[in-house]
Amino acid sequence: MRLRIPLSFVLAAVLTTVLATVLAACGDGTASRGGGAPANRIRLAYQAFPSGDLIVKNKRWLEQALPGYQIQWTKFDSGASINTAFVAGSVDIAAIGSSPVARGLSAPLNIPYQVAFVLDVAGDNEALVARNGSGVSSIEGLRGKKVATSFASTAHYSLLAALDRAGIRESELTIVDLEPQDILASWTRGDIDAAYTWLPTLKELKKNGKVLVASRELATAGKPTLDLGVVSTAFLKAHPQAVDAWRTAEARALQLIADDRAAAAAAVAAELNLTPQDAEEQLGQGVFLKPADLAAPEWLGTPEKPGALAANLVSAAQFLKDQQKIDAVPDLATVRNAIYTKGLPDVLTP
């Protein structure tokens, strides 16, 4: 008989174990001051996928807008590790997927952060791919196979959604937790049969694999995933003008993607060590909103008219609860309070 350990106990133990490591890697654990840290410091967590966030970093727009601040960019491999950093108080602003945000706003984590931006909507830039030679040609063929994804990421959420849609129980296959670079290494060795991940790793997998489903298709089927910009509540209260400057810079990046894809691709290419042509191709696989769209009813909304993003996150949390990945689902009012819309849409004008 296998003892069933409560999820909250497991997560608490994991967070306790990694807390010291995160603090050492990311700072002293304070939101913006303390322990000799500069009062005006912004610690940004970014991920290596094509986005406007990389454009802001590459062009140093935030540094230019906030010359009185010390800007620190730190690369993270997944939303799960970013959530851990927020719990440790070691990150102020981050690029993170909607699934880990849904987890973060739910029990037992209950992370005090605010969703303040929509970086992109997942399209063909995230997908489930079966390795050539694995014998898998459909989602149904994953039964008995080993599939890798990054746990607590949008890719993990989408994998579970794809399995649920195909009527496959999670217990019918082996799902392993790997970061994107480890997925590629395991794929090359033939240790896994399939993987659900994102660009740029996804492009490498597709060279020797078949796409079974992409996040664009799952979004059409009612399971959309997004990349969001979130801000620590403590930092937001202490530095609202700095948050406005960050939102303006991110909006400027979205406008560049819309108006001059080549220039946007050049900045992304420099950050990801890609050719401009590859970067432009990868940008084309995502869905990027226009800055004005962020304040639309289907996304963040405005202070007077909250958008549907809160309901999307509650739906994602409910799905994760049904999959026994979180303990409880936050109510809609709680999630709406975690959507930061002050100043919209005016603050999105560069």
Side-chain angles (χ1 to χ4, degrees), residues 165-291:
R165 184 180 177 214
I168 301 173
R169 297 188 302 276
E170 191 175 345
S171 60
E172 293 183 89
L173 65 157
T174 300
I175 302 177
V176 294
D177 179 16
L178 295 175
E179 300 292 2
Q181 68 272 20
D182 298 320
I183 287 176
L184 182 57
S186 294
W187 179 279
T188 302
R189 292 192 302 265
D191 294 343
I192 55 177
D193 301 298
Y196 208 126
T197 191
W198 54 84
L199 292 171
T201 300
L202 175 61
K203 182 176 180 180
E204 296 303 312
L205 303 191
K206 288 166 68 175
K207 293 177 181 178
N208 184 35
K210 174 185 178 181
V211 174
L212 303 181
V213 68
S215 293
R216 186 187 300 274
E217 181 180 339
L218 293 173
T220 303
K223 295 288 188 233
T225 52
L226 310 91
D227 289 312
L228 303 172
V230 299
V231 184
S232 157
T233 301
F235 183 84
L236 179 55
K237 290 179 179 178
H239 303 275
Q241 293 180 328
V243 173
D244 283 350
W246 166 74
R247 289 192 291 176
T248 300
E250 293 288 352
R252 184 180 176 187
L254 285 182
Q255 196 62 55
L256 185 67
I257 292 172
D259 292 344
D260 191 344
R261 185 62 60 88
V268 169
E271 291 297 319
L272 295 181
N273 195 28
L274 300 173
T275 67
Q277 293 76 16
D278 283 344
E280 188 165 357
E281 177 189 351
Q282 292 187 20
L283 280 173
Q285 296 181 49
V287 179
F288 296 94
L289 305 177
K290 298 285 185 65

Side-chain angles (χ1 to χ4, degrees), residues 111-180:
I111 299 173
Y113 54 34
Q114 303 275 300
V115 179
F117 209 84
V118 178
L119 297 172
D120 65 79
V121 182
D124 299 319
N125 51 348
E126 280 193 359
L128 173 60
V129 186
R131 182 176 53 80
N132 292 344
S134 65
V136 178
S137 59
S138 67
I139 296 176
E140 289 76 10
L142 292 174
R143 288 184 174 91
K145 300 295 185 177
K146 183 180 289 188
V147 182
T149 193
S150 302
F151 280 13
S153 68
T154 52
H156 188 197
Y157 171 85
S158 295
L159 172 61
L160 297 177
L163 295 175
D164 183 67
R165 184 180 177 214
I168 301 173
R169 297 188 302 276
E170 191 175 345
S171 60
E172 293 183 89
L173 65 157
T174 300
I175 302 177
V176 294
D177 179 16
L178 295 175
E179 300 292 2

Side-chain angles (χ1 to χ4, degrees), residues 68-108:
Y69 280 76
Q70 178 183 333
I71 310 298
Q72 299 178 356
W73 293 87
T74 302
K75 179 179 174 293
F76 284 76
D77 292 322
S78 68
S81 58
I82 289 175
N83 272 342
T84 301
F86 270 114
V87 170
S90 301
V91 170
D92 302 311
I93 299 175
I96 182 173
S98 54
S99 180
V101 169
R103 283 175 179 259
L105 294 175
S106 302

